[in-house]
Amino acid sequence: MHVAAILLWVVVLARIPTIVRHTTQRLLWLALVALAVSVTLETPDVAQALDEVAGFTANISHLVKHAMVVTSAVLAQEVVRDLALPAEVADQGRARRALAMTGMVALLAGLFSAAPVHDRTFPGLTAVAVGEPVLLAYWAIYLFALASALVSIARLTFTSVMSFPPGPVRTSMTWMAGGAIVGLTYCGHKAAYLVVATSNGGSWPSPESMDTVQQYLLSTTVMIFVVGVLWPACTEWPVIRHLRAYLAYRRLYPLWLAYYQAEPGIALDPVSRGRRGVVLFLRYIELDLYRRVIEIRDGMLAVQRFAPPHVRELAVREAHRAGAGVNAQVIGEAAWLEVARRAKLRGAEPHDESMPAPTGGEDLATEILVLTEITAARKMIETIVGRVEATIGAES
């Protein structure tokens, strides 16, 4: 947890400039601050120092830590709502949720003040809660507040992963969904221990084994959440951005090669690219990716005249039959273009009819996604092309 605490504080300091941008960034920064405080208080020396500074009561560090965990979870829930929902929907009930969080923290403070934990310091409040009604109520409130926020995060992120297009935001949601699941496992494990240990008088399971599992689950939850909430920003780092561009560049190579074989003239200055060293290649990889996208689209335009327009509708229909789902239009058009590409390679004559433009992305990022979907669906496209060519042959 020491490493996690240091990394969290570094991130908190690095993201101070972002709090002036908009509400989501401020909520994210506050969530990271609360999480950093809670993780820092997992360090015994820091917790002991806080107890000594407080002076008037022992174990105050545990209350502060739990209050910060609840606060961080609720703020993370608000960040996820801002990312997953339209602005007017995300804002609904925000004041009510903030009031509920404040009430939960106040209730935790009240139960803590009534609990018999002020005379001496305990390494944690879990084992001492066995058989102690006030502390059991304290844990019930804490686990309820934390689990409620995590369930909301899990539900929102799961819906986003199912509906969002591939990209940094969906990846971020996937990480946070995993963090919410691990966090709910943490809540379930702690609740199970309290129930079992209270029922048998604390004889089993051992507090030491419980603490080990709890530490592992908590640290895993924290690290997954941190990666999730910071992923969109991390993708803008030059190293990560160049790596993503390189992977996309390599992923699109089979599609580029197919159109290059049919129309070699689409290659934009391939000689200069081949003479670059590794350093220059990585430095200019984003430009090369942009060129690859243009070359693929140029290849599509060059071959599309070699298949009649009605083949496009036939291929889209076959894509629906093949189970392409929401990508049926893109996959069907790719099959139409593959029919045209093969016809050009066979030396067929181009058609004079006006050709519809194939579906593309609104910008470079979505264009890369469309071409990546086409590359990934090569086997399905082969199947559709076979059906389309068989239909054309039967018509002839």
Side-chain angles (χ1 to χ4, degrees):
M1 297 298 285
H2 297 77
V3 175
I6 294 172
L7 290 176
L8 276 170
W9 283 115
V10 170
V11 171
V12 166
L13 293 175
R15 294 188 64 82
I16 288 178
T18 65
I19 62 179
V20 299
R21 294 179 184 174
H22 47 75
T23 302
T24 304
Q25 293 294 338
R26 286 190 286 274
L27 291 172
L28 174 58
W29 187 78
L30 290 173
L32 290 171
V33 170
L35 188 60
V37 172
S38 64
V39 173
T40 302
L41 289 175
E42 285 289 329
T43 305
D45 292 339
V46 176
Q48 182 180 354
L50 178 59
D51 290 336
E52 292 175 354
V53 170
F56 60 89
T57 181
N59 301 303
I60 190 70
S61 58
H62 298 306
L63 173 63
V64 175
K65 177 176 63 179
H66 297 149
M68 289 296 100
V69 169
V70 171
T71 302
S72 178
V74 174
L75 290 172
Q77 175 189 354
E78 296 301 321
V79 172
V80 171
R81 287 180 64 87
D82 284 350
L83 294 175
L85 302 173
E88 61 277 7
V89 178
D91 291 339
Q92 291 177 2
R94 180 162 288 172
R96 173 176 49 80
R97 290 188 295 273
L99 182 61
M101 178 193 72
T102 305
M104 291 288 186
V105 172
L107 190 54
L108 286 177
L111 290 170
F112 175 82
S113 64
V117 292
H118 308 290
D119 297 331
R120 61 191 181 92
T121 301
F122 296 104
L125 298 182
T126 306
V128 297
V130 175
E132 175 52 52
V134 177
L135 279 178
L136 288 175
Y138 174 95
W139 280 113
I141 296 298
Y142 170 76
L143 293 176
F144 173 78
L146 180 57
S148 297
L150 291 174
V151 167
S152 178
I153 291 172
R155 178 176 58 83
L156 290 168
T157 51
F158 181 77
T159 302
S160 300
V161 170
M162 294 295 103
S163 60
F164 280 21
V169 176
R170 192 172 82 170
T171 303
S172 173
M173 290 295 187
T174 304
W175 277 96
M176 286 191 280
I181 293 172
V182 179
L184 288 170
T185 305
Y186 164 85
C187 293
H189 180 269
K190 188 177 285 290
Y193 168 79
L194 290 171
V195 170
V196 172
T198 299
S199 65
N200 61 31
S203 59
W204 183 86
S206 69
E208 291 77 15
S209 61
M210 181 274 302
D211 282 336
T212 301
V213 175
Q214 289 282 291
Q215 285 285 337
Y216 175 76
L217 291 174
L218 182 61
S219 60
T220 303
T221 301
V222 169
M223 295 306 297
I224 293 176
F225 262 118
V226 169
V227 172
V229 297
L230 296 179
W231 184 258
C234 292
T235 56
E236 296 303 317
W237 295 351
V239 173
I240 301 298
R241 198 174 65 241
H242 291 167
L243 178 60
R244 291 177 63 231
Y246 173 74
L247 293 176
Y249 182 82
R250 294 296 303 170
R251 198 177 296 124
L252 295 179
Y253 176 76
L255 187 61
W256 174 86
L257 181 61
Y259 286 108
Y260 175 75
Q261 290 171 344
E263 184 62 48
I266 64 174
L268 301 172
D269 194 20
V271 176
S272 64
R273 271 184 278 183
R275 290 175 178 173
R276 291 179 193 160
V278 175
V279 175
L280 285 178
F281 175 76
L282 293 176
R283 180 179 177 182
Y284 291 101
I285 187 61
E286 290 178 284
L287 175 60
D288 287 342
L289 175 61
Y290 177 65
R291 285 180 171 181
R292 174 149 290 180
V293 171
I294 293 176
E295 290 168 0
I296 291 173
R297 282 301 176 184
D298 286 346
M300 291 178 172
L301 293 174
V303 305
Q304 68 179 22
R305 296 182 301 116
F306 291 83
H310 79 275
V311 174
R312 178 174 177 269
E313 286 70 26
L314 176 61
V316 171
R317 187 165 63 248
E318 290 294 340
H320 281 286
R321 290 179 56 191
V326 295
N327 295 327
Q329 186 71 28
V330 171
I331 301 304
E333 290 180 356
W336 161 57
L337 292 169
E338 177 62 16
V339 172
R341 188 188 74 87
R342 294 181 181 185
K344 185 177 188 301
L345 287 172
R346 290 194 300 266
E349 292 296 324
H351 295 267
D352 295 330
E353 301 171 77
S354 176
M355 296 293 172
T359 302
E362 298 177 356
D363 50 31
L364 179 61
T366 53
E367 183 76 353
I368 292 171
L369 290 177
V370 170
L371 297 180
T372 301
E373 289 174 357
I374 293 173
T375 306
R378 279 179 295 170
K379 291 184 178 180
M380 181 180 290
I381 291 172
E382 290 283 341
T383 302
I384 296 171
V385 168
R387 294 176 181 176
V388 170
E389 290 182 336
T391 302
I392 296 174
E395 291 175 351
S396 302

